[in-house]
């Protein structure tokens, strides 16, 4: 297995390089880059600022208003005075030591910018992960054992209705119902904590944080319940109908022993394979719509704003980091097979 891991790591390198090369190439052809945006802003301010400056900033009309020397200085400022290949190789050299540079738009380190947005994404992702796996596995097992019963039909209807409702629609409905929109003002609508959070005691801080998380977590987790629940149910149903289950029952084992000693170990394999990736993604990904609706500054909103503002250091830096995280999570997903089923071996692929 050691050689298998080395082989997979070796394949990660060209994959990562290819992803970054394609993305970097695409950014070279996208109009309205940082140099063009700065030129438009300078021309706008030179013409009086205000509404005229805003209109000029939003619609680039060329660099006819600036002399070539100033344009050259702007290109040098953003590093666009070098050929694309040179800039790409220099960027990858810096990325090897996780030096992502500074944001063009926020004028701060990309690493610090990402770290400042991480608490929101971690809060949404981690709690959603715990709720989804904590609720769906027991519910899926219960549905498999009671397949075709009234409980199975009613629970399937409920989770499929939740799956059919888009997360942002559910978020707006929750705000209308419980956020003081038209009915009850029960939960807060913005931020992770209240303005007086620093003045609260330990119990008060925990309660305040959890109270702020109820609506956004509910809106982000409900849609994932159906997929994981049905996957768990179908996986257990497939195993329950196999011959070894009948043999175990014939030996006099109780239903609980058959279910959790024999069926569970085999049925959980398809679920475990997605566990590492989902768990790691819970810490780093964000939801643009959920974060926007509940006024949360997380990774989803940062990624969207970075693309709009042509903030290439943030776009490419976060892409590099998340690509590495994704590749590692896929490797961990494969290795997790060995944890739940020792019969699986990678010796044949080494």
């Amino acid at each position: 297995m050691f050689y298998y891991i080395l082989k997979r790591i070796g394949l990660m390198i060209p994959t990562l390089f290819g992803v970054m090369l394609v993305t970097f190439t695409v950014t070279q052809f996208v109009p309205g880059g940082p140099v063009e945006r700065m030129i438009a802003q300078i021309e706008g301010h030179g013409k009086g600022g205000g509404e005229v400056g805003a209109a000029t900033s939003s619609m680039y009309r060329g660099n006819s208003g600036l002399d070539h020397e100033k344009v050259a200085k702007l290109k040098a400022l953003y590093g666009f005075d070098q050929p694309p290949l040179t800039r790409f190789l220099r960027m990858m050299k810096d990325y090897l030591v996780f030096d992502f540079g500074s944001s063009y738009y926020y004028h701060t380190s990309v690493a610090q910018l990402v770290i400042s947005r991480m608490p929101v994404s971690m809060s949404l992702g981690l709690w959603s992960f715990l709720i989804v796996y904590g609720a769906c596995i027991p519910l899926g097992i219960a549905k498999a054992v009671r397949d075709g019963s009234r409980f199975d039909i009613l629970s399937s209807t409920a989770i499929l209705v939740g799956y059919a409702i888009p997360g942002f629609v559910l978020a707006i409905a929750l705000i209308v119902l419980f956020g003081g929109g038209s009915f009850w003002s029960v939960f807060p609508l913005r931020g992770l904590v209240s303005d007086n959070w620093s003045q609260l005691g330990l119990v008060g801080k925990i309660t305040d944080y959890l109270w702020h998380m109820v609506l956004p977590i509910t809106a982000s987790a409900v849609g994932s319940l159906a997929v994981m629940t049905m996957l768990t149910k179908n996986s257990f149903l497939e195993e329950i109908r196999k011959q070894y289950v009948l043999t175990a029952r014939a030996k006099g084992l109780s239903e609980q022993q058959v279910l959790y000693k024999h069926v569970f170990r085999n049925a959980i394999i398809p679920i475990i394979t997605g566990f590492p990736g989902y768990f790691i993604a819970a810490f780093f990904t964000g939801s643009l719509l959920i974060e926007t609706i509940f006024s949360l500054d997380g990774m989803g909103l940062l990624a969207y704003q970075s693309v709009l503002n042509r903030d290439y250091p943030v776009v490419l830096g976060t892409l590099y980091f998340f690509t590495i995280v994704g590749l590692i999570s896929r490797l961990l997903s494969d290795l997790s097979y060995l944890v739940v089923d020792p019969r699986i071996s990678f010796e044949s692929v080494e």
Side-chain angles (χ1 to χ4, degrees):
M1 187 177 68
F2 176 74
Y3 293 103
Y4 173 78
I5 295 176
L6 288 180
K7 182 180 178 181
R8 287 290 300 272
I9 294 176
L11 292 174
M12 291 179 185
I13 298 175
T15 302
L16 177 63
F17 186 86
V19 170
M20 297 305 301
L21 179 60
V22 171
T23 307
F24 181 84
T25 303
V26 170
T27 60
Q28 305 308 301
F29 297 97
V30 176
V35 175
E36 289 81 0
R37 290 177 64 88
M38 181 58 69
I39 292 173
Q41 291 177 5
I42 293 174
E43 291 181 346
H45 288 303
K47 295 180 180 181
E51 296 180 357
V52 176
T56 310
S57 299
S58 63
M59 183 175 62
Y60 172 60
R61 296 177 298 176
N63 58 5
S64 57
L66 294 178
D67 56 54
H68 295 290
E69 182 180 354
K70 291 184 178 180
V71 174
K73 288 182 179 179
L74 286 176
K75 290 183 177 180
L77 176 65
Y78 290 105
F80 285 87
D81 57 331
Q82 299 293 327
L85 180 59
T86 302
R87 287 188 281 114
F88 176 75
L89 295 177
R90 182 181 299 173
M91 180 190 73
M92 293 302 297
K93 180 181 178 181
D94 293 336
Y95 283 7
L96 288 177
V97 293
F98 293 95
D99 180 9
F100 302 126
S102 298
S103 166
Y104 294 156
Y105 184 77
Y106 297 97
H107 306 291
T108 185
S109 168
V110 174
Q112 293 178 356
L113 186 61
V114 171
I115 291 173
S116 67
R117 301 296 184 96
M118 287 294 292
V120 171
S121 298
M122 291 177 63
S123 297
L124 288 174
L126 183 58
W127 285 113
S128 297
F129 167 83
L130 293 175
I131 291 174
V132 168
Y133 270 86
C136 292
I137 293 179
L139 179 59
I141 296 174
K143 288 172 61 63
V145 174
R146 300 172 178 83
D147 182 42
S149 66
R150 185 177 181 180
F151 167 78
D152 181 37
I153 296 174
L154 292 178
S155 59
S156 296
T157 302
I159 62 175
L160 290 176
V161 169
Y163 178 74
I165 301 176
F168 70 93
V169 174
L170 179 59
I172 295 174
L174 291 174
I175 290 176
V176 172
L177 291 174
F178 304 108
S182 300
F183 295 89
W184 304 282
S185 180
V186 181
F187 298 101
L189 296 181
R190 58 182 300 120
L192 286 178
V193 293
S194 301
D195 295 335
N196 64 336
W197 187 79
S198 60
Q199 303 174 3
L200 301 175
L202 178 60
V203 177
K205 289 181 178 180
I206 296 175
T207 303
D208 182 74
Y209 163 74
L210 294 177
W211 207 241
H212 278 76
M213 285 289 97
V214 171
L215 295 186
I217 290 174
T218 301
S220 61
V222 167
S224 302
L225 294 176
V227 177
M228 188 59 61
T229 300
M230 300 309 295
L231 175 62
T232 304
K233 175 191 174 182
N234 294 334
S235 180
F236 273 81
L237 275 179
E238 183 179 355
E239 293 296 324
I240 289 174
R241 294 166 179 169
K242 289 185 177 179
Q243 185 64 40
Y244 75 87
V245 176
L246 296 177
T247 303
R249 288 171 177 167
K251 290 181 178 180
L253 297 179
S254 65
E255 287 297 319
Q256 294 295 321
Q257 289 177 317
V258 172
L259 183 62
Y260 291 102
K261 186 177 180 180
H262 296 278
V263 175
F264 185 85
R265 190 176 185 87
N266 296 314
I268 204 69
I269 293 178
I271 303 168
I272 287 294
T273 56
F275 184 92
Y278 195 94
F279 181 76
I280 294 176
F283 286 91
F284 302 109
T285 57
S287 174
L288 170 62
L289 294 175
I290 298 298
E291 292 173 8
T292 302
I293 292 172
F294 292 101
S295 300
L296 300 172
D297 291 331
M299 291 301 300
L301 189 59
L302 174 63
Y304 175 71
Q305 292 174 341
S306 300
V307 173
L308 288 183
N309 295 318
R310 305 296 190 267
D311 199 350
Y312 296 150
V314 177
V315 174
L316 295 171
T318 53
L319 176 66
Y320 177 85
F321 179 72
F322 292 145
T323 301
I324 293 178
V325 171
L327 292 172
I328 293 176
S329 66
R330 293 305 304 170
L331 176 60
L332 293 178
S333 296
D334 292 341
L335 296 179
S336 63
Y337 275 108
L338 299 178
V339 177
V340 296
D341 192 352
R343 297 171 300 175
I344 297 177
S345 174
F346 295 115
E347 298 295 332
S348 59
V349 297
E350 291 178 0

